[in-house]
Amino acid sequence: MAAVGSGGSPAAAGPGTVSAGALEPGTASAGLLLTQWKEREAEVSVQGLPRPFPDTSARIPAHRRLKYISLAVLVVQNASLILSIRYARTLPGDRFFATTAVVMAEVLKGLTCLLLLFAQKRGNVKHLVLFLHEAVLVQYVDTLKLAVPSLIYTLQNNLQYVAISNLPAATFQVTYQLKILTTALFSVLMLNRSLSRLQWASLLLLFTGVAIVQAQQAGGGGPRPLDQNPGAGLAAVVASCLSSGFAGVYFEKILKGSSGSVWLRNLQLGLFGTALGLVGLWWAEGTAVARRGFFFGYTPAVWGVVLNQAFGGLLVAVVVKYADNILKGFATSLSIVLSTVASIRLFGFHVDPLFALGAGLVIGAVYLYSLPRGAAKAIASTSTSASGPCTHQQPPGQPPPPQLSSHRGDLSTEPFLPKSVLVK
């Protein structure tokens, strides 16, 4: 398969490949190549000769390894960020200012994206400056479009600190899956997307599971430190889910068709995020930060949180393209399990039957929602055929229905899940 460049023109074909232009319909080269290919295939079938095109079966294990690597990265990043924040916020001693950690993560992420863009320009400072001038200043309309999602993401990051400081890590991990519900609702309202009946049922199942977990939390599931307020934590996580859902859908709506790279977009978000984070720092904790210092309470654990938030998210942006929706849903489920097991070990979290039931419902809902629509219809048809013979027959003269394929590159057939391409 020939690679196609960003401008839509075929890239140079490598050894053993055919460029897209050579197979353009209606050309002499296309007819000649197809004739030669058919003749060669006939020889293969008769004489058992090697095939004229390289066998791609050897590439499948490599692609599968990439999927497993992306799964591991998604699980570790999702679980470790929440656990590390919880650990850093519950350590005895001076507590760091959450607003400063948000600003530092934005600064580090912006600098990292700037270095990556510098590497893409082969270390040419002049080319980098001209590129940034064109992308950020000349195309200022596209840059300003990022101000709104950046503001919401900055608010969301601060709310996460409030929520995790007042809720157990496992409870937060389960409750935070409400972002799937809010993203789905905003996608229906703002992008006119349609959801299948299975997806609506999974969203109801998701809400029920979260409600059960919160009922367990309100009922006093285990000992709770005196400085924690579960009500404030729940309000913060709900607000964070609402902001996450709106920001993701709004971002997709305003930047659909945009040609900016992931690193450029994250650099622009980092610039806005740093500025807006400093404004929030000044408004919420400006006096205390001025008196005690920007890095007050910073320990190796706090720096670990900052680095995880900055670099872990960028790493996810790299590997997420190898993960389909089912893999993302599986990663979310594993993250919930991993957070729960680690919370038992690190924080003495107690798992009772009510929490196990709610978490199980959420895990099942995430899996069902992540199924492609074709698979959902297959499940429905299988259940129908199991209950009795199918009376539907294909009308005469109509082509047979398309068969399900393992290839899931067509995004139009996949359910909408919160996008992780842009890191926040």
Side-chain angles (χ1 to χ4, degrees):
M1 178 174 144
V4 178
S6 59
S9 60
T17 62
V18 181
S19 65
L23 294 178
E24 195 67 32
T27 62
S29 58
L32 179 61
L33 284 173
L34 289 175
T35 302
Q36 293 176 348
W37 181 79
K38 290 180 179 179
E39 293 174 353
R40 184 60 173 167
E41 281 293 302
E43 294 177 3
V44 167
S45 61
V46 174
Q47 304 177 15
L49 298 176
R51 293 191 175 275
F53 296 102
D55 186 9
T56 59
S57 61
R59 302 177 186 174
I60 296 178
H63 178 69
R64 193 170 298 168
R65 284 195 298 270
L66 288 175
K67 292 188 69 173
Y68 290 150
I69 291 173
S70 65
L71 172 65
V73 171
L74 290 172
V75 171
V76 172
Q77 206 277 333
N78 287 339
S80 64
L81 179 61
I82 295 172
L83 292 170
S84 61
I85 292 177
R86 177 69 179 177
Y87 179 76
R89 297 296 282 178
T90 55
L91 283 176
D94 297 328
R95 177 175 288 188
F96 67 99
F97 299 111
T99 52
T100 63
V102 172
V103 172
M104 281 304 303
E106 294 294 331
V107 170
L108 291 177
K109 187 182 69 177
L111 290 176
T112 303
C113 293
L114 186 62
L115 290 176
L116 290 172
L117 290 173
F118 180 67
Q120 287 182 352
K121 300 302 177 182
R122 301 182 182 276
N124 192 313
V125 178
K126 181 180 179 181
H127 288 177
L128 177 64
V129 171
L130 292 176
F131 170 76
L132 293 178
H133 177 267
E134 173 70 21
V136 178
L137 298 180
V138 176
Q139 301 180 15
Y140 66 93
V141 176
D142 284 345
T143 302
L144 290 177
K145 287 180 180 179
L146 298 174
V148 174
S150 183
L151 172 63
I152 299 174
Y153 283 134
T154 303
L155 175 64
Q156 174 191 345
N157 289 336
N158 283 281
L159 287 172
Q160 284 184 3
Y161 278 95
V162 177
I164 297 175
S165 299
N166 290 280
L167 291 174
T171 302
F172 171 84
Q173 182 75 283
V174 172
T175 309
Y176 193 56
Q177 302 314 311
L178 283 176
K179 65 184 179 181
I180 298 177
L181 172 63
T182 59
T183 304
L185 294 178
F186 281 121
S187 68
V188 171
L189 295 175
M190 298 173 60
L191 300 178
N192 296 322
R193 276 197 171 94
S194 61
L195 302 178
S196 65
R197 284 180 292 181
L198 179 63
Q199 288 176 318
W200 283 114
S202 65
L203 292 177
L204 178 61
L205 193 67
L206 173 69
F207 183 81
T208 303
V210 172
I212 291 175
V213 169
Q214 287 302 318
Q216 179 266 351
Q217 180 68 23
R224 180 187 308 139
L226 297 176
D227 59 344
Q228 292 187 13
N229 185 345
L234 176 60
V237 73
V238 170
S240 180
C241 290
L242 287 171
S243 63
S244 174
F246 175 79
V249 175
Y250 176 82
F251 199 101
E252 182 181 2
K253 184 179 179 68
I254 65 174
L255 289 182
K256 186 171 290 184
S258 175
S259 59
S261 68
V262 173
W263 309 127
L264 174 62
R265 294 309 180 197
N266 278 284
L267 174 61
Q268 292 170 319
L269 285 172
L271 293 174
F272 280 114
T274 301
L276 295 171
L278 288 172
V279 172
L281 184 154
W282 171 79
W283 179 75
E285 301 172 322
T287 304
V289 172
R291 184 176 69 254
R292 295 186 173 184
F294 188 92
F295 296 105
F296 174 78
Y298 271 57
T299 62
V302 177
W303 280 111
V305 170
V306 173
L307 295 176
N308 191 346
Q309 205 163 24
F311 301 126
L314 290 176
L315 182 60
V316 168
V318 174
V319 303
V320 74
K321 64 180 179 180
Y322 301 107
D324 54 23
N325 277 344
I326 293 181
L327 198 66
K328 293 175 188 175
F330 191 51
T332 300
S333 302
L334 287 179
S335 299
I336 294 175
V337 175
L338 181 59
S339 297
T340 302
V341 173
S343 295
I344 296 173
R345 178 75 176 178
L346 296 175
F347 311 118
F349 181 72
H350 175 67
V351 178
D352 58 13
L354 203 59
F355 177 87
L357 174 62
L361 290 177
V362 170
I363 291 174
V366 170
Y367 172 76
L368 291 176
Y369 187 84
S370 64
L371 287 175
R373 292 194 177 188
K377 292 180 180 179
I379 293 175
S381 63
T382 301
S383 61
T384 303
S385 62
S387 60
C390 179
T391 59
H392 173 74
Q393 295 182 357
Q394 189 71 16
Q398 295 293 329
Q403 299 296 319
L404 293 177
S405 171
S406 60
H407 176 68
R408 307 183 66 253
D410 184 6
L411 296 180
S412 63
T413 63
E414 295 192 8
F416 183 81
L417 281 175
K419 292 189 176 294
S420 305
V421 174
L422 291 162
V423 182
K424 281 289 168 180

